[in-house]
Amino acid sequence: MIGEILAGLAAVLDWHVLGFLAAGVSLGAVFGSLPGLTATMGVAVLTPLTFWVSAEQGLAMLLGIYCGAIPAGGIPAILINVPGTPASIATSWDGYPLTRKGQAGLALGINALASAAGQLTSILFLAFLAFPIARFALQFGPAEYFGLALLGISLMAGVSGRHVLKGMLAGSLGLALALVGLDPMTAYPRYTFGMSEFLDGISFVPVMIGLFGLGEVLVQISDRHASRAVSSGVIGRIMPKAAEARTMLGATLSGATVGTMVGAIPAAGGDIGSVIAWEQARRTSSDKDKFGKGSLRGLATSCAACNAAIGGAMTTMLTLGIPGDAVSAILIGALLIHGIQPGPLLFANNQSFVFSIVFLLVFASLLIMAIGILGAKPLARILNIPPPWLWMGIVLFGTVGSYALNNAVVDVWAMYVAGIGGFLFRKASVPLGPLVLGLILGPMMESNLRRALILTRGDWLDLLSRPILLVFVAATILSLLWPLIRARRRAAKRNHRLSSDA
Amino acid sequence: MASLAEGQIGVPIVCENKPGASGALAFSYVARRSADGYTIGHAPVEIAIVRSLGYADIGPSDVSLICLVSKTAPALVVQADSPWQSFQEFIEAAREGAGRIVMANSGIGSIWHFNILLMEQGTGARFTHLPYGGSTPALVSVIGGHADAAVAGVGEVVSHVKAGKLRALAVFDETRSGVLSEVPTTHEMGFPIGAPAWSGFFGPGGMAEQRVTLLAKAFKTAFGTSEWAKLCRERGMEALFLDKDEFGAFAMDQQRFFESEIPKLVRLESSE
């Protein structure tokens, strides 16, 4: 065992491998921080380039892109309220308010630190608990996916902030949009208006770019003279104080655990994981009112969760040969080209290579943490760019990125329509989080409920015989009733005080 | 293939992915371009199917077929510790079970789903169909024990079979597969069923004869390289070259097959 660990370490302690890793991380940082360019795209585009180098070098480059892009996606989320990748949507909820308070530096610093902490925690899970986690992931059948999606949907109220009713409306709109395309069970076209472009549904990434990118730009233009304009230009300190770090520790670790587990489940990744982690941290936190207004805990937990999803996805990929998300699907393809077959046999026959991957992930997360901290000051200068230039840049990258995703013009239209929608919603204080949740989770919830019912032959009660689903259902009910219970307990306390005063 | 053929024609080949509607979007896009030979497309089996499904009004006769370069046979897999050791046992159980066996597929209307329906039609077996959005989640559901069996391409199942997670009971083909040579074929067991996936190239309709020939020659040279042979072996594809006339006849034959079978298969399914 020790021999394999050392051999794995030796294979990556090579200037070429480390060089490729650094190049990958830097490229990933660029892909992640530009809205419209995603980690998936970066890995996909650069995979062919790795065919001419050794397996370790190629993998170093691709893992570097993956590990670099996710934390970097938090940078535009924090600075300009535009998530760089879908995983960083929750990062913008507390990150951007911090920027507006003149604490952009601190937000970027926390992003770098919590991201690395989340990823390192998930790598520890990968190194020590790979097979139990993989068994857990395999337990996820249709009923369990439905439960996960149900829990996610129940978070809509929590992520709506003060505007719960508007949030529900936005969430319903998201669910409705998720219905567009071929029916997942019968392949019958729904709401496609006869256009084959809509058969595969509405792509999520262009909608996200539109809602958060273009929508934010339009709001800033219309508020040009109001106080909402961003550039206070103040960056502030970067490193959190010891006391702040202590308050964030628990949230970071819980975010990392949630992120690892959700990341390990195939087809569920950092986007869902970070929202669940954020909402869980908010509920269990003593200062829940600060969440969404610049809470350090909220920021730390979402950053940790979306990066921990990397380790989770890698666990499923390496132990089962099953992709945990879109990026690891491409990584499997790249490994196959190099003659390496991810799966249980890899752990049995080629342990040193598994440890090479573990060490590459560790180095990549340390590297991106260093880049994040050292780069925070220069990056935050983005805030000093005259807003019109910034707006043009966002629209430009948003347009190009939306097209580049599927090479389809319809996605560009989707981006612009979503942008106008995002603008109107912001003006009417309609929260966007629920809409995004509906769009991501709607297809997952629908198709898996219907699959689960096929398996039980339409028997709803039979569904409840699945323990994991029961846990999700119980958590969902609890999360819906919790505000009522809390209100009652408070009222009871107040009555108690009143009566004891009297 | 693009990187192998590039050297033959002296201009770079830029690959652009246009996903959507079983490839119908990409077929229509290429068919609308100018027929100068500078925009060509990848023609998988779906080009002979999408019209029958109503996704797009396009088929092999509307485009200039260039050549075919590979074929992939479907394989039937069950979980490694499932009770069924052979295709016959499995079919027997599926006949008696009257739909108790859960069969995951990679999506209604996909080529692997048709193969499941062909199996029902050809053997009298009946399944409960569990549709997924692609072969990977369908195979994962079998590995996780949520579905009993699935049909997917040989190349998609081979790694899980070799890792001992899945057992392949049959390859739907006339001859045995190179990567799963120990698995019997449906034809040798007396069930002549199976519709392979295949992969070729096409250009917009009305391309000049000599341009088609030029491109076909470049692809043929690329086809002959050891890299292509290796790639096919790794992906579980059968390297098979058909020139434009052979490909044209084959594709039209396939289209007629799907045109006549799909309505029957749909009726079979809705009668379940």
Side-chain angles (χ1 to χ4, degrees), chain A residues 142-169:
Chain A
E144 287 75 21
Y145 276 106
F146 167 67
L148 176 67
L150 189 70
L151 177 66
I153 296 271
S154 78
L155 305 182
M156 276 182 177
V159 302
S160 296
R162 279 179 300 127
H163 305 280
V164 175
L165 195 60
K166 286 179 181 171
M168 294 297 100
L169 282 173

Side-chain angles (χ1 to χ4, degrees), chain B residues 30-136:
Chain B
V30 173
R32 283 198 307 269
R33 299 292 106 171
S34 145
D36 57 8
Y38 282 96
T39 306
I40 59 171
H42 170 236
V45 59
E46 282 77 12
I47 201 166
I49 300 180
V50 288
R51 182 181 277 146
S52 305
L53 293 176
Y55 290 170
D57 190 14
I58 192 166
S61 54
D62 307 316
V63 298
S64 309
L65 295 173
I66 299 168
C67 60
L68 181 127
V69 291
S70 74
K71 231 170 85 173
T72 305
L76 169 70
V77 289
V78 295
Q79 208 190 18
D81 46 16
S82 86
W84 305 297
Q85 299 294 335
S86 71
F87 185 66
Q88 283 86 354
E89 281 175 38
F90 180 76
I91 291 299
E92 206 51 49
R95 280 183 189 142
E96 284 165 15
R100 212 163 300 137
I101 292 180
V102 176
M103 176 69 80
N105 66 58
S106 57
I108 299 289
S110 69
I111 180 70
W112 308 138
H113 175 231
F114 286 136
N115 277 285
I116 295 169
L117 297 179
L118 288 171
M119 175 163 54
E120 290 189 319
Q121 193 187 40
T123 65
R126 287 294 177 270
F127 305 108
T128 295
H129 296 272
L130 192 62
Y132 278 92
S135 292
T136 304

Side-chain angles (χ1 to χ4, degrees), chain A residues 138-142 182 184-187 196-197 199-200 322-323 337 341 344-345 403 406-407 451 454-455 457 466, chain B residues 16-21 25 55 99-100 102 108 128-132 136 140 144 146 159-160 162-163 165 235:
Chain A
L138 263 190
Q139 299 272 310
F140 268 69
L182 288 181
M185 295 296 110
T186 64
S196 39
E197 282 81 0
L199 284 180
D200 281 355
I322 295 166
I337 299 268
Q341 171 67 55
L345 289 180
Y403 180 76
N406 292 323
N407 291 311
R451 270 182 213 123
I454 288 179
L455 290 177
R457 299 178 183 278
R466 317 261 327 182
Chain B
E16 202 179 318
N17 291 318
K18 280 199 178 285
L25 296 186
Y55 290 170
R100 212 163 300 137
V102 176
I108 299 289
T128 295
H129 296 272
L130 192 62
Y132 278 92
T136 304
V140 170
H146 308 290
S159 63
H160 299 299
K162 294 262 153 82
K165 294 273 166 189
R235 302 281 172 92

Side-chain angles (χ1 to χ4, degrees), chain A residues 199-273:
Chain A
L199 284 180
D200 281 355
I202 293 174
S203 313
F204 169 66
V205 171
V207 172
M208 183 198 84
I209 299 171
L211 283 177
F212 293 97
L214 184 60
E216 178 69 22
V217 167
L218 293 174
V219 168
Q220 289 187 11
I221 291 173
S222 75
D223 288 357
R224 217 163 354 153
H225 305 292
S227 57
R228 209 189 136 86
V230 202
S231 315
S232 59
V234 183
I235 297 167
R237 73 195 150 87
I238 290 163
M239 299 305 280
K241 291 182 184 137
E244 289 168 341
R246 264 200 301 282
T247 61
M248 287 185 290
L249 187 64
T252 305
L253 289 180
S254 74
T257 310
V258 171
T260 308
M261 294 304 158
V262 176
I265 301 165
D271 44 3
I272 301 175

